[in-house]
Amino acid sequence: MTDSKNKPAPRPTIKAVRGTRDLLPDQTPLWNRVEATTRAVFSRYGFGEIRTPVFEATELFARGVGEETDIVSKEMFTWEDRARAASEKAQNLTLRPESTAGVVRAYIEHKLGETGQLQKLYYIGPQFRRERPQRGRYRQFWQIGAEVIGPQTSGAESPLRDAEVLEMLASLLDELGIRDWKLELNSVGNAEDRARFNVALREALAPVKDQMCPDNQRRAETNPLRVLDSKEEADQEIINALPKIADYLGEESREHFEQVKAALDACGVPYHVNPRLVRGLDYYTRTTFEFTVTTGLGTQNALLGGGRYDGLSEMLGGPKAPGIGFAIGEDRLILTLQAQAEADAAASGIAPAEPKLDVYIAPLGIAQNPAALKLARELRREGLSVEVGDGSFKIGKSFGFADKLARHIILLGEDEVATNILTVKSFATGEQRKISRAELIGAL
RNA sequence: GCGGCUAUAGUUCAGUGGCAGAACGCCGCUCUGUGGCAGCGGAUGUCGUGGGUUCGAACCCCACUAGCCGCCCCA
């Protein structure tokens, strides 16, 4: 006679934290397809997988990504690790906001350059940025990235590598079925070019920066390059009049860029040179690029971005090791594919079929449960996908479940267990047959 | 970090001060070894959280949280 209105004391429910989310089984097949395709494509180009830690010393990102970038200055999940002994120093740690710095750290730490070989490394994994969540922008998000890095003698600096990476990305997006991608390409020059350009830019900005928005005024001071890709309407006239990086490229950088473009032309990979494409991370030199799409992402239309980082290894205290790499926003890739699939379904009026199991086994009565599980075990071992009902279910209920889950139902009553002649009904045809256990696999 | 919009059943959503609703889905029965279709019946719920106004709040006000959209930035 307990009072059913006596509800348990309310407890606050725990939810996924802001900007994070669960990927349920209706989502993960697409993720797995994307990742499997990526691995297959990358391995055809000689890339091997690297797995680095999801957290690193904060210093790595400060030096690698750049102290003045938004990522480092305001978007990192950083904490002070407890010192476990008086003699131990507390360490400042950070959840990785991107993976290139970590990969290059590993390259240096494991002396991969000493092999003399070009290293082609890829990764797939979560990254963390403390930004305001939005469509296609999460606080835990996934990136698929690859890096080509090695000593100069390995050919890591060759424009061939830039073109190969870009061609690989074009092939990957094609193979995944991304239909409307666009490659934006630019060169920001080598360290010397950038230094000269920065001086010229500062000179040009000095008399006009007061007329610009506060953000651009700040950038004019801290990172003048970033003024160039500002989208602030009111400042566009001023920005268009600023010096162009292309005019400050040295002969070497210019020639490098020309060769990248020539190789892309030869491969038939379309691109648009965008002189204002300046990527946000400090380590980029020479080639920079971005692939954008028009479906599914709204204003977060950059699907992936990357570029060359010839000085990064040295910035991290390693040997000279030119490299080029990119990071694909996997979440955005998935959103794009989903948006395309929805558009296709709407156009054709055909909803994609749900995947079904091969067999649903319905024991009729709990006495048949052990036999049902035994049969399931055997069929699964022979490679079939199988679900087992419970003998307490009414037969109608079993059919209901079976029809949703599987292509065939096997009824397992006393007779079937005793004779080893199974009753099998196929939902596609509605046909019901008696099949001996020995002939079952062939009959399905 | 800034601005706008939003939050009601499992889902999509209606409800603008007076009994908490619809569709789909779910459960039961018609039908105890035959599902889908159909008929009948049923449950959907702290109306995001906390406070305030009011005789009375899903509705008005405030704060918070979360989501979406945009800005910033980035993948």
Side-chain angles (χ1 to χ4, degrees), chain A residues 92 281 421:
Chain A
N92 210 274
L281 281 44
I421 307 287

Side-chain angles (χ1 to χ4, degrees), chain A residues 56-72:
Chain A
E56 300 264 7
T58 303
E59 175 71 6
L60 174 67
F61 304 115
R63 277 160 68 181
V65 178
E67 204 78 67
E68 284 302 329
T69 61
D70 279 25
I71 292 177
V72 172

Side-chain angles (χ1 to χ4, degrees), chain A residues 267-341:
Chain A
C267 293
V269 175
Y271 58 86
H272 302 267
V273 174
N274 176 357
R276 304 243 314 243
L277 179 70
V278 180
R279 303 215 46 80
L281 281 44
D282 278 5
Y283 52 62
Y284 284 121
T285 56
R286 297 203 270 196
T287 311
T288 58
F289 57 88
E290 193 169 280
F291 282 70
T292 58
V293 291
T294 50
T295 307
L297 294 182
T299 53
Q300 306 292 320
N301 70 337
L303 196 59
L304 69 93
R308 182 163 275 287
Y309 45 83
D310 295 333
L312 178 56
S313 175
E314 287 156 293
M315 286 163 71
L316 297 177
K320 180 159 180 61
I324 182 167
F326 60 83
I328 304 170
E330 189 176 3
D331 310 78
R332 293 182 181 184
L333 193 57
I334 299 280
L335 279 172
T336 303
L337 289 170
Q338 284 171 334
Q340 283 188 182

Side-chain angles (χ1 to χ4, degrees), chain A residues 58 61 72 75-80 92-95 130:
Chain A
T58 303
F61 304 115
V72 172
E75 292 170 4
M76 295 204 302
F77 284 98
T78 294
W79 73 99
E80 185 97 328
N92 210 274
L93 303 176
T94 293
L95 291 178
R130 217 196 138 85

Side-chain angles (χ1 to χ4, degrees), chain A residues 195-383:
Chain A
R196 284 192 296 126
F197 180 60
N198 258 302
V199 170
L201 206 52
R202 280 181 196 276
E203 276 173 16
L205 281 168
V208 294
K209 71 180 178 202
D210 290 348
Q211 302 159 39
M212 305 181 89
C213 71
D215 270 324
N216 278 331
Q217 290 186 30
R218 179 180 54 79
R219 291 184 188 129
E221 293 297 329
T222 59
N223 199 345
L225 223 49
R226 310 264 338 122
V227 176
L228 290 179
D229 64 357
S230 163
K231 284 161 204 132
E232 180 66 42
E233 260 331 299
D235 294 352
Q236 292 307 310
E237 203 176 322
I238 296 173
I239 292 168
N240 282 325
L242 291 172
K244 306 258 181 302
I245 181 76
D247 299 328
Y248 288 80
L249 296 185
E251 187 51 39
E252 215 180 26
S253 296
R254 200 191 319 273
E255 178 59 23
H256 191 275
F257 194 38
E258 289 306 318
Q259 288 188 41
V260 173
K261 290 188 285 186
L264 288 175
D265 290 337
C267 293
V269 175
Y271 58 86
H272 302 267
V273 174
N274 176 357
R276 304 243 314 243
L277 179 70
V278 180
R279 303 215 46 80
L281 281 44
D282 278 5
Y283 52 62
Y284 284 121
T285 56
R286 297 203 270 196
T287 311
T288 58
F289 57 88
E290 193 169 280
F291 282 70
T292 58
V293 291
T294 50
T295 307
L297 294 182
T299 53
Q300 306 292 320
N301 70 337
L303 196 59
L304 69 93
R308 182 163 275 287
Y309 45 83
D310 295 333
L312 178 56
S313 175
E314 287 156 293
M315 286 163 71
L316 297 177
K320 180 159 180 61
I324 182 167
F326 60 83
I328 304 170
E330 189 176 3
D331 310 78
R332 293 182 181 184
L333 193 57
I334 299 280
L335 279 172
T336 303
L337 289 170
Q338 284 171 334
Q340 283 188 182
E342 272 171 38
D344 289 352
S348 68
I350 300 166
E354 303 230 337
K356 291 204 167 183
L357 300 173
D358 294 315
V359 171
Y360 184 95
I361 301 173
L364 304 176
I366 56 172
Q368 270 59 251
N369 273 349
L373 198 61
K374 172 173 174 283
L375 177 60
R377 167 182 158 91
E378 291 167 5
L379 297 182
R380 286 163 173 161
R381 287 187 152 216
E382 293 182 60

